[in-house]
Amino acid sequence: MPEGDTIFRAAQSMHRVLAGHAVTKFETGYAHLDRVDVDTPIAGRTIEKVVSAGKHHLIHFSGDLILRTHMRMNGSWHLYRHGERWWRGPQAMRVRLDTADWVAVAFNVPVAEFVTPRQLETRDPVAQLGPDLLGETFDRDEAIRRIAASGPRAIAMTLLDQRILAGIGNVYKSEVLFMSGVHPETPSSAVPHVTLERMIDIARGVLQDNVVEGSSPRIQTYRNLRQLNRASEHDDSLWVYGRRGKPCRKCGTPIEMKKMGIDARSTYWCTACQRLSLLK
Ligand SMILES: [Zn+2]
């Protein structure tokens, strides 16, 4: 599942080349989008902006219409020049949007719908999002309040809940908990306030680090100081994620892995660096 920074980066790239330009062609594999296009054509509208909200990707068109997509596990947006070869076949195309210079293609996005700005603010899932770690404004106190109000639920599950805090996916979940020294199964309400403050600052920091212009799309939270170049292996760029059985980078204890929650998402941690706290 893409993390918040991946969606942010995709929206940023699309905004840079598409904003202010008119749509010259719109195609979709989804009947419910096609119906809107037939009734109120998308071609001819101007793309006003492309932004992200948590893991939702939003394309704002002139005439008060927004295309909201959500990538879930396998969806992605790609930008091409006209005539350029696509990385996937047309059968994976769900939405295609042309301007004079660019072709934007959404592959395998499972969620795509047109909404009005008003719907986005009221009944849409975007309206239900918690404070957005990559948002222009971010309310840390509100995020802490929501986490603490999650009661006995394991902190690892709470961090993935986009209604509590928007932007953390499965990789960052394990990384942020390790960097904060918090055991993933600690009840949400048992994490001390000062630790939550630090955890959220760490989460914002790593997400922001990973959306720096021109940085690689690979997530990096760990940097080996002896390496002059960017870590060449995925494994070298993270503290714990994907490192089951390998020695902890701080203390050498083998990294643990467990599948948690109804979606059985893999959680990685170090038993020595992240002690379970059951205190309220
Ligand atoms: Zn350790």
Side-chain angles (χ1 to χ4, degrees):
M1 178 189 279
E3 305 270 351
D5 64 321
T6 311
I7 312 296
F8 182 93
R9 187 198 303 267
Q12 209 178 31
S13 314
M14 286 176 65
H15 179 78
R16 203 175 306 123
V17 300
L18 301 179
H21 295 276
V23 178
T24 55
K25 178 178 179 178
F26 178 84
E27 276 182 7
T28 180
Y30 286 127
H32 65 283
L33 297 185
D34 198 45
R35 200 175 55 232
V36 175
D37 183 42
V38 168
D39 291 346
T40 56
I42 308 306
R45 291 175 189 255
T46 300
I47 297 168
E48 292 176 339
K49 59 180 176 177
V50 184
V51 294
S52 64
K55 296 187 196 172
H56 299 267
H57 182 278
L58 307 170
I59 304 176
H60 291 248
F61 299 98
S62 57
D64 281 346
L65 198 65
I66 299 165
L67 176 62
R68 177 176 75 83
T69 48
H70 193 292
M71 313 300 153
R72 296 254 193 261
M73 304 300 268
N74 300 313
S76 58
W77 275 98
H78 285 248
L79 277 170
Y80 299 102
R81 292 290 190 174
H82 286 281
E84 200 179 336
R85 191 182 162 84
W86 294 3
W87 83 297
R88 310 209 57 166
Q91 71 283 355
M93 185 274 281
R94 295 293 176 271
V95 181
R96 169 185 180 160
L97 205 60
D98 290 20
T99 62
D101 294 330
W102 294 92
V103 180
V105 188
F107 293 108
N108 292 327
V109 288
V111 179
E113 64 173 357
F114 283 117
V115 292
T116 64
R118 172 146 178 78
Q119 287 168 334
L120 200 65
E121 277 170 26
T122 52
R123 63 167 177 77
D124 194 84
V126 172
Q128 318 297 326
L129 287 177
D132 187 349
L133 285 161
L134 286 169
E136 276 172 29
T137 58
F138 174 74
D139 188 343
R140 189 176 71 169
D141 292 339
E142 175 61 15
I144 289 173
R145 196 192 62 71
R146 292 184 187 210
I147 293 172
S150 302
R153 182 165 62 160
I155 186 68
M157 303 312 299
T158 298
L159 288 184
L160 285 182
D161 185 340
Q162 304 298 304
R163 294 165 305 177
I164 304 283
L165 185 66
I168 295 183
N170 208 40
V171 177
Y172 282 120
K173 174 198 74 184
S174 292
E175 295 296 293
V176 165
L177 287 170
F178 176 83
M179 293 163 87
S180 317
V182 175
H183 191 287
E185 290 178 308
T186 306
S188 302
S189 55
V191 182
H193 190 272
V194 61
T195 308
L196 286 178
E197 284 181 348
R198 209 162 62 85
M199 185 186 293
I200 289 173
D201 290 346
I202 288 170
R204 279 202 96 192
V206 292
L207 279 160
Q208 284 168 344
D209 276 357
N210 281 281
V211 297
V212 172
E213 193 90 24
S215 61
S216 110
R218 191 186 51 232
I219 292 170
Q220 180 153 31
T221 57
Y222 168 78
R223 284 176 180 78
N224 184 336
L225 295 178
R226 285 170 303 182
Q227 287 172 319
L228 292 174
N229 298 317
R230 229 167 228 295
S232 52
E233 300 287 323
H234 182 75
D235 183 49
D236 280 347
S237 66
L238 298 170
W239 286 102
V240 290
Y241 187 85
R243 301 192 65 244
R244 180 184 204 169
K246 295 188 178 167
C248 170
R249 298 189 191 280
K250 280 188 183 165
C251 74
T253 304
I255 298 298
E256 301 278 337
M257 193 280 273
K258 179 179 178 178
K259 293 195 181 287
M260 291 175 69
I262 43 169
D263 294 336
R265 313 299 306 280
S266 311
T267 302
Y268 296 84
W269 77 99
C270 169
T271 49
C273 294
Q274 295 164 266
R275 302 243 178 235
L276 181 62
S277 166
L278 293 168
L279 303 170
K280 167 59 206 168

